[in-house]
Amino acid sequence: MDRSLKEIHKGLAGKEFSVTELVEQSLRRIGEVDGKIQAFLQVDEDNAKRVARELDEQLASGGEQGLLFGLPAGIKDNMLTEGSLTTCASKFLSNYKAIYDATAVQKLKQAQAVLMGKLNLDEFAMGGSNENSAFHPTYNPWNTEYVPGGSSGGSAAAVAAREVYFSLGSDTGGSIRQPASFCGIVGLKPTYGLVSRFGLVAFASSLDQIGPMTKNVEDAAYVLQAIAGHDPMDSTSANVSIPDYSSALTGDVKGLKIGVPKEYIGEGVAPEVREAVLAALKVLEAQGAVWEEVSLPHTEYAVAAYYLISSSEASSNLARFDGVRYGKRSENAENLLDLYHLSRSEGFGPEVKRRIVIGTYALSSGYYDAYYVKAQKVRTLIKQDFDNVFAKYDVIVGPTVPTPAFKIGSQVDDPLTMYLNDILTVPVNLAGIPAISVPCGLVDGMPVGLQIIGKALDESTVLRVAHAFEQNTEFHKLRPQL
């Protein structure tokens, strides 16, 4: 499970091992360590073994192999997988079996990955620590007293612990990059619309984006290649040609211009994290890149704008959970209004309720212009900040998160502090542009992530810079000692 994708495919082709052995290795690892980290909500052992046998037969007959042939993968449990429970880590959907596949899941199957099961998350992807799951928290493989990040905490922990080869997460305000940083793996948030959202249970429709979580940058490029592309089932899907992302991994960053926002390395960023980022910039400098300090002046308003917009969209999207059509239905209801009220009261957890209330308030008559409309205007200013910097620079670089992972329980009763952890990730979602987090060091034994932000639809440059950094450092080779 430590090998690269190319090495895995070479081993399969050379009959060094079979897909069945790969899948059994994944199941064995899940059996060994998942009791400690609790990344999985369900493991689909029978189906994984069946698919592995089919792929081995195809391998023996010399059939053509898909891009992700035979690789054991995990799926964040807010993406529909036909015939399996899709719970969003919520009591509301604890009995919901999906009747079709999300497009991203369908594309993984077409690329012949082996889906091992569904991974834990903060309920309905609302949270930054994976403590908001209705079933159980997930623990950081580097130190189980710490959070793995969220909302894609299960997806990050499963890859870091080598339970699966790669996973899919979703990123609304940093939910791929922040847990990737906390767990010492690679997490890529693509440009909004590059990967279809069809079959992703919506949190905030103008912000959500599915992306890969992998051990290294090259694997992220391969997984993105498999899942990117236009989808007529998603009205926000970008109808653009998809380049060969792996061909961008040249290792060459000579002459590349990097902007480093002073807001990303200033007040609130832990000194050790700042030092790790400055050391990473020296590595890129040694490869021929140049960097200068720039400003994204509206960064300080990003968290406020993000939580108003995302909560407003959540309030609208979660209105479909009414106890009538699917999911939880209260047994104590005596009339229709009771059914709505009690089903939601019993089905949703406290963080989801908090965001629904914030969003409903922001959209209500008399407050809509003062809050929601103003937040959208701030969003435009944040996007213009990025446009101004990208007129002169190829990428923007800074920390992914201001601090390393924090201890479980230390922020769960302080939602404002938890929300402020997102200050370096939410601007990217508000602007709809791509960003990647790659490991760039350890602070007190816990991983730190370097965030590389690119222009819209320029994932190739983001991946090239991340790969060049990775090739000249050893951080991606570090792994937790469970």
Side-chain angles (χ1 to χ4, degrees), residues 32 56 72 87 117 182 186 210 232 237 365 385 415 420 433 458:
E32 286 169 2
D56 279 332
T87 68
F182 282 3
V186 173
I210 293 171
S237 175
S365 176
D385 284 350
L420 289 169
I433 53 180
D458 192 15

Side-chain angles (χ1 to χ4, degrees), residues 63-398:
E64 196 175 327
Q65 295 175 30
L67 193 61
L68 306 174
F69 186 88
L71 298 178
I75 307 292
K76 185 177 180 178
D77 198 24
N78 61 347
M79 299 173 208
L80 302 187
T81 45
E82 187 179 357
S84 297
L85 285 171
T86 298
T87 68
C88 292
S90 176
K91 286 180 186 170
F92 213 114
L93 290 176
S94 56
N95 61 356
Y96 177 67
K97 274 197 175 177
I99 55 172
Y100 60 92
D101 279 330
T103 298
V105 171
Q106 199 176 24
K107 288 195 168 197
L108 288 189
K109 289 180 177 178
Q110 287 166 357
Q112 296 180 308
V114 184
L115 307 187
M116 303 303 297
K118 305 301 280 293
L119 295 161
N120 200 15
L121 63 150
D122 286 295
E123 184 180 3
F124 284 103
M126 298 182 193
S129 65
N130 228 126
E131 294 168 285
N132 294 325
S133 169
F135 303 117
H136 53 74
T138 295
Y139 301 93
N140 194 314
W142 288 83
N143 184 333
T144 52
E145 291 181 13
Y146 288 76
V147 302
S151 62
S152 308
S155 298
V159 173
R162 304 302 193 259
E163 294 181 298
V164 291
Y165 191 80
F166 72 89
S167 64
L168 290 188
S170 66
D171 193 310
T172 309
S175 289
I176 286 174
R177 290 159 289 148
Q178 187 246 32
S181 174
F182 282 3
C183 290
I185 63 165
V186 173
L188 172 64
K189 178 248 172 236
T191 303
Y192 180 78
L194 187 70
V195 178
S196 171
R197 290 184 301 110
F198 182 70
L200 172 70
V201 179
F203 162 15
S205 305
S206 74
L207 300 161
D208 297 341
Q209 190 55 216
I210 293 171
M213 305 185 79
T214 59
K215 301 189 299 290
N216 59 59
V217 174
E218 186 179 47
D219 289 354
Y222 279 110
V223 178
L224 182 64
Q225 195 79 48
I227 62 175
H230 180 247
D231 179 14
M233 301 298 283
D234 174 4
S235 62
T236 60
S237 175
N239 194 356
V240 293
S241 58
I242 304 300
D244 177 5
Y245 293 116
S246 57
S247 69
L249 308 182
T250 59
D252 178 24
V253 290
K254 201 171 173 67
L256 185 98
K257 295 180 78 177
I258 299 169
V260 180
K262 62 183 181 184
E263 295 82 3
Y264 283 31
I265 53 171
E267 191 184 349
V269 176
E272 303 90 345
V273 171
R274 188 184 300 115
E275 283 167 25
V277 169
L278 293 173
L281 286 165
K282 283 183 182 167
V283 172
L284 291 169
E285 218 173 12
Q287 303 307 307
V290 292
W291 68 273
E292 293 172 358
E293 195 173 271
V294 297
S295 180
L296 297 170
H298 295 96
T299 299
E300 64 179 302
Y301 308 112
V303 170
Y306 167 80
Y307 277 98
L308 278 167
I309 293 167
S310 65
S311 298
S312 297
E313 293 184 11
S315 162
S316 176
N317 280 326
L318 270 60
R320 72 191 70 176
F321 300 103
D322 53 14
V324 177
R325 289 160 291 183
Y326 44 71
K328 181 167 179 62
R329 175 179 291 200
S330 176
E331 294 173 5
N332 304 314
E334 293 179 6
N335 56 50
L336 186 61
L337 286 178
D338 261 6
L339 179 67
Y340 293 162
H341 173 216
L342 293 172
S343 297
R344 289 169 176 161
S345 295
E346 295 165 16
F348 290 139
E351 182 60 31
V352 175
K353 289 176 184 171
R354 183 183 293 123
R355 299 202 195 191
I356 290 172
V357 170
I358 292 170
T360 306
Y361 180 80
L363 293 175
S364 60
S365 176
Y367 297 103
Y368 178 83
D369 288 335
Y371 292 107
Y372 182 71
V373 171
K374 188 165 277 190
Q376 290 287 21
K377 288 177 179 176
V378 171
R379 180 182 196 166
T380 301
L381 294 174
I382 288 167
K383 185 185 179 301
Q384 286 172 357
D385 284 350
F386 281 111
D387 291 344
N388 292 339
V389 172
F390 283 131
K392 298 177 186 170
Y393 298 90
D394 299 302
V395 292
I396 292 168
V397 169

